[in-house]
Amino acid sequence: MALYLGLDSSTQSVTAVVIAIEGDTRQMVLESSLSFDEALPHYGTAHGVLPRTDPRIATSSPLMWAEALDVMMARIARSGLELGRLAAVSGSAQQHGSVYLNSSWVDVVQTLDGSRPLADQIRNVFARDESPIWMDSSTAEECAEITAAVGGEHVLARRTGSRAFERFTGPQIRRFFKQSPEGYGATDRIHLVSSFLASLLSGHDAPLDPGDASGMNLMDLASRDWWPEALDATAPGLHAKLARIVPSSTVVGTLSPYWQQRYGLPAAKVIAWSGDNPCSLIGTGLVKEGRVAVSLGTSDTVFGLMREPRVDVTGTGHVFGAPTGDYMGLTCFQNGSLARERVRDDLGLNWKSFSQALDSTPPGGPVVLPWFEPEITPAVPVPGVRRYGVSGTSPEANVRALVDAQMMSMALHSQWMGVRIDTIHATGGAAANRSILQTMADVFGADVYELSVGNSAALGAALRAAHAESSAEPAGDWEDVIRGFTEPIARTRLEPDRRRHAFYRDWIRVYGACEAHALGRGPDPEPLLEQLRGRVTDFS
Ligand code: XUL
């Protein structure tokens, strides 16, 4: 039985998943996590982030990520698994974060000594001790400069898959170049978290994959190579500081002598690492267009595979490379569980009575735009809930209006992906709520399944390792690789109600009109609202 290891270096922790595959036998044989704050308190992080005074700045320690990898590999080596059978390793990492390395890096990484801890040996390879991470929002000025230099937001989005975002790596590199020209000058190599860790595993300067490179505002989506105009707009001499971009399934090396000597691990193949979202795409089984995942977490996210690199002209969605060689679309909504909990608490409900309220109220009441916090999609910088239609409504109607709004907003703002959604894999805390999932099925007109996969990014990385290994033989079939690991729970399937879906197809136009009006981009939606309310029927 071959073993495959998937690692996920996320914002707060590192997780390992080992899967075993032999013919039709498929098992997850190890799942283990360590939290940076708890396991490595000497770095002083809180939730994986270094102490900060300016709330817009978020950095972490690349040395801590390396030490955590070392601790995790030691743990895996002691796990009792038959690691001689470890065939391949791949990884996932928080996207956008960047690691700045000086001229000693290449030599040091190639000559790591198995008798000394990793962190002691790489302490001096950094041109910058702190790495900006995805939670950083300090680069508005650099975003504007890059956007202007390449010819505007639409050009940048069309070429790279996203307009300029503050957390994306290009704007972060530009800020470093502007704030510390000497530091930038002393930087020989800029890695993403993913390619930095892949380098440490393979013992040489590893390439990037298109999934993670597309989170930089620097990669040309069509050619999956660096886009010279974006490099020029970002910082001088940047091309020479960046590694190559290779297909996600590339074998970038084998576990280096360091891991073999120190932990007795075999020379297993190291497959290019990717970002956590592209890895989660695989770990939630989305290897086919038409299937999307809706993650109902603190914020809600819709993501799915796209055969074509369509981009969101409204500028809120992202297109990343998918590990399958296709593309993935991702749209994030800030007011997810946060808004659900707010309404539940304001109305003095618990989850049971929240669901009862939802079940007992048909759609078609007031329209509520649930912007309790600043919203990402659509961009609403100044929060505030907006309401249209009947006033003085019952608590039940408020619950229905909120969940309808969240589902319609997700359906509306994922249309840019141009994908006919027939199946939804629902994950995250609120996916346990059947009433919410039924509304999702009715609004999207798709079958909804609950997915029980935890650690989807680490699992996705392990599956990517298995796929890359098997494609050395006849080309690996993704459906075959994920079989037995990412299937949704069949008995959780919820089908859309035909009549309700027909109603929502019209109601979503009302929702869109209310949203446009609230954003100052459209006429008063009340006449449309009234006209459609006449069509509300008894759905019981
Ligand atoms: C995606 C993003 C986050 C990080 C979290 O654009 O910023 O999902 O990848 O790890």
Side-chain angles (χ1 to χ4, degrees), residues 367-408:
V367 172
V368 167
L369 304 174
W371 301 329
F372 292 90
E373 294 283 324
E375 181 51 69
I376 300 172
T377 308
V380 181
V382 182
V385 172
R386 291 23 165 214
R387 258 175 184 282
Y388 292 87
V390 267
S391 57
T393 41
S394 63
E396 287 80 9
N398 283 308
V399 172
R400 165 59 63 197
L402 169 74
V403 176
D404 278 0
Q406 292 182 317
M407 298 305 146
M408 287 192 288

Side-chain angles (χ1 to χ4, degrees), residues 357-365 400 404 500 504 536-540:
L358 196 55
D359 292 341
S360 63
T361 319
R400 165 59 63 197
D404 278 0
R500 283 196 183 221
Y504 279 120
V536 175
T537 41
D538 177 10
F539 290 104
S540 57

Side-chain angles (χ1 to χ4, degrees), residues 9-11 93-96 134-135 167-168 212 215 275-277 318 320 330 332:
S9 180
S10 73
T11 315
Q94 55 170 308
Q95 294 200 250
H96 317 298
W134 67 279
M135 294 162 83
R167 68 188 190 285
F168 275 43
D212 217 10
D276 51 4
N277 292 300
H318 305 304
F320 297 138
L330 178 140
C332 192

Side-chain angles (χ1 to χ4, degrees), residues 123-165:
R123 209 169 286 286
N124 297 320
V125 299
F126 301 101
R128 188 180 182 187
D129 288 333
E130 296 187 3
S131 287
I133 61 164
W134 67 279
M135 294 162 83
D136 189 285
S137 60
S138 64
T139 64
E141 196 176 292
E142 289 73 21
C143 285
E145 289 163 354
I146 294 170
T147 305
V150 299
E153 193 165 286
H154 290 300
V155 181
L156 191 60
R158 223 178 27 250
R159 290 305 282 253
T160 70
S162 302
R163 66 171 167 83
F165 281 90

